[in-house]
Amino acid sequence: MENIKKLRIPHSLLIIIGAMVLACILTYLIPAGSYARIKVAGKTVVDPSTFHYVSQHPVNPLTIFNFIYPGMVKASKIIFALMCAGGGLGIVLDSQVLQGAAGSISQKVKGKEWVIVAGIMVMFAIICVPAGFNSWIPFSAVGLVIAKALGFDAIVGVSMIMLGGAVGFSCGAMNLSNTGTAQTIAELPIFSGLAYRLFCMIPFLIVTILYVVHYALKIKKDPTKSYVYGIDLGLEDLNLDHIPTFQKENIPGLITIILCILTMIYLGIQGRLDLQTCGTMFIYMGIFTGIACRMDPNHMCKTFIKGAKGMAGTAMMIGFAYGITLIINKGLIIDTIVFNLAQILNYVPKAFQAPVMFYIHIIINFFITSGSGQAATTMPIMIPVADLVGISRQTAVLAFNFGDGFCNFILPHAAATMGFVGSANIPFDRWFRFAIRLFGIWVIVGTLLLMLAAQIGY
């Protein structure tokens, strides 16, 4: 009976392969189409008046593995950053500094553990307002340590970092690659309309915190309610079962870790925290923490390699996920989908046009998970449509932000989701069951905020 239950849990990689097969099937079902591309402000975008159907380019499902290596190459920046971060964090976690700090904090907040969960989510929401979201994937290991010390499961550990950051990133207040690209195409000043996007973070963050805290308290009271109850996540290397307490000898290591994190936050605010810098910073964090904790150099090297190996599975899943986009691109069906979805707005009542534009971007995001890529493809079409139906360009950009951002956290081929979930070895179907209800709440909140934006003439 136990073996039957295990067989019902598909591995995350298997789900991605299934999505690749689905992408191939869609290249047979959806007519191929294309827009001409032009240069606008140095960016390649579509010319909205040039859509035309072309000959079908179906992709044989038997060739899906031909897209794995190109997918790995396309995802190489994320993959190498994760490998470097995994090595550095391997040393940090082996030092037991974070485990000790988490253990001591958990004892002091006993009965009020939710305060830590909420505080970390608020912190990462703020951090991810200007900074790239993918840069913080390695911190999932830190979230796991904290969650275990507080008596919660791996889903809570990942959620504290991932879903907190999701709000800051998805509202697009100061996101240069997504909001910046969309506003440039919309001929709006970069980061104009900032105040309302920051305001949008408040209700999104409140419902997200309440959702995660409610789940955390429920599984603390009854661990069998956990979506990952009884599943071996293979996280024994994190020493989650024996959380120590903070000692005086841990102080130099903790100071080192805090300084490295503050440096990363500063670089993020300055717009200088790319994936290469992030990976490098984690290497320095590991080395300096090892030195501060007087770790043996040979042991540090072994731990670094072991930590990097731990990210290999996550790296492979991200590479496979990128293969889905490559399949869809080869089938030439993205432009057809965008063209036909844009026509829908002409038949929607005015009060619901902005929310429907949000829903359209959710659908498109399944096919184009890259925010800047989606902006370059959809905004040259959506902006003229918004002008015609009476939606302000600022509201059209906000609908894009919501649709591109929040949808990523339930997709099996989104790099951020697979990075966080994969690093914690959480089966994707279990994560999906946890996150899909929250996504539904996000859609409701986003709908109301977009209706309000249209009402106040944002």
Side-chain angles (χ1 to χ4, degrees):
M1 192 70 179
E2 186 178 346
N3 291 333
I4 293 175
K5 289 183 178 180
K6 287 183 179 179
L7 290 173
R8 290 177 180 172
I9 304 173
H11 192 279
S12 297
L13 189 58
L14 186 60
I15 293 175
I16 295 174
I17 293 173
M20 294 176 76
V21 173
L22 175 61
C24 290
I25 294 173
L26 291 176
T27 64
Y28 286 88
L29 301 177
I30 300 174
S34 180
Y35 285 101
R37 261 63 177 179
I38 57 176
K39 287 283 187 179
V40 175
K43 299 180 182 294
T44 301
V45 300
V46 303
D47 183 343
S49 63
T50 61
F51 178 79
H52 59 285
Y53 289 101
V54 299
S55 59
Q56 206 71 6
H57 286 66
V59 178
N60 187 339
L62 297 177
T63 67
I64 59 173
F65 296 112
N66 294 348
F67 295 89
I68 302 305
Y69 185 84
M72 297 288 288
V73 172
K74 190 174 178 64
S76 59
K77 289 184 179 180
I78 296 178
I79 289 172
F80 289 134
L82 285 177
M83 300 290 276
C84 293
L89 274 175
I91 299 174
V92 170
L93 293 173
D94 190 72
S95 72
Q96 297 289 295
V97 171
L98 290 178
Q99 290 92 322
S104 294
I105 290 173
S106 66
Q107 292 179 1
K108 292 184 178 180
V109 299
K110 201 167 185 65
K112 296 182 179 179
E113 292 87 352
W114 66 269
V115 175
I116 302 298
V117 175
I120 291 175
M121 293 181 72
V122 170
M123 180 179 73
F124 274 91
I126 295 172
I127 288 173
C128 289
V129 168
F133 184 76
N134 288 344
S135 301
W136 305 101
I137 293 174
F139 275 91
S140 59
V142 179
L144 293 174
V145 171
I146 295 173
K148 184 62 180 181
L150 297 175
F152 304 135
D153 67 1
I155 286 180
V156 176
V158 168
S159 296
M160 287 190 292
I161 314 296
M162 180 183 184
L163 298 182
V167 172
F169 171 82
S170 300
C171 289
M174 295 176 62
N175 189 311
L176 186 59
S177 62
N178 294 7
T179 305
T181 299
Q183 289 189 321
T184 298
I185 296 169
E187 299 178 334
L188 295 169
I190 297 294
F191 298 149
S192 58
L194 174 66
Y196 189 74
R197 292 196 300 279
L198 287 173
F199 166 76
C200 289
M201 285 180 58
I202 298 173
F204 273 118
L205 190 56
I206 289 173
V207 298
T208 305
I209 290 174
L210 290 176
Y211 187 85
V212 175
V213 168
H214 175 265
Y215 172 80
L217 296 179
K218 180 177 70 173
I219 62 108
K220 187 177 180 67
K221 183 177 180 180
D222 182 2
T224 63
K225 300 289 187 181
S226 168
Y227 284 108
V228 293
Y229 178 76
I231 299 176
D232 181 11
L233 301 181
L235 300 175
E236 60 276 358
D237 289 340
L238 291 178
N239 294 319
L240 296 178
D241 293 323
H242 303 285
I243 304 294
T245 55
F246 193 76
Q247 306 296 325
K248 288 184 178 180
E249 54 265 29
N250 296 143
I251 293 176
L254 183 61
I255 292 174
T256 302
I257 294 168
I258 291 174
L259 288 175
C260 288
I261 293 174
L262 290 176
T263 301
M264 292 175 69
I265 294 173
Y266 172 77
L267 292 172
I269 294 172
Q270 296 294 313
R272 292 156 51 194
L273 186 65
D274 55 16
L275 287 168
Q276 178 180 338
T277 304
C278 180
T280 304
M281 284 299 304
F282 273 106
I283 294 175
Y284 279 119
M285 182 191 296
I287 293 173
F288 291 152
T289 301
I291 294 173
C293 294
R294 300 181 181 180
M295 294 174 67
D296 176 70
N298 282 332
H299 180 71
M300 286 171 59
C301 291
K302 290 179 181 178
T303 305
F304 182 90
I305 297 299
K306 187 176 181 180
K309 284 181 180 178
M311 285 293 183
T314 302
M316 287 301 297
M317 284 193 287
I318 291 175
F320 271 67
Y322 267 71
I324 298 172
T325 302
L326 296 179
I327 291 170
I328 293 171
N329 284 335
K330 186 172 182 180
L332 298 180
I333 62 175
I334 290 177
D335 287 358
T336 303
I337 294 167
V338 172
F339 172 76
N340 285 282
L341 287 175
Q343 310 309 308
I344 294 174
L345 281 173
N346 295 317
Y347 304 97
V348 175
K350 187 173 180 61
F352 298 101
Q353 285 172 338
V356 169
M357 187 174 282
F358 167 32
Y359 309 151
I360 288 172
H361 279 291
I362 289 175
I363 296 171
I364 293 172
N365 197 55
F366 177 83
F367 301 93
I368 315 174
T369 55
S370 164
S372 57
Q374 186 178 156
T377 302
T378 63
M379 296 314 290
I381 302 163
M382 291 300 183
I383 293 302
V385 171
D387 290 343
L388 287 173
V389 300
I391 299 175
S392 74
R393 295 189 173 194
Q394 204 70 265
T395 299
V397 171
L398 186 65
F400 155 74
N401 284 138
F402 290 172
D404 165 68
F406 290 107
C407 180
N408 283 321
F409 304 98
I410 58 168
L411 295 179
H413 57 291
T417 297
M418 295 318 300
F420 276 100
V421 175
S423 63
N425 293 329
I426 298 171
F428 179 78
D429 74 307
R430 298 305 176 99
W431 171 258
F432 185 84
R433 287 167 58 188
F434 166 78
I436 188 61
R437 293 179 183 177
L438 176 60
F439 176 69
I441 296 171
W442 279 342
V443 170
I444 294 171
V445 173
T447 297
L448 295 175
L449 288 171
L450 284 165
M451 292 177 72
L452 177 60
Q455 190 68 29
I456 65 176
Y458 171 66

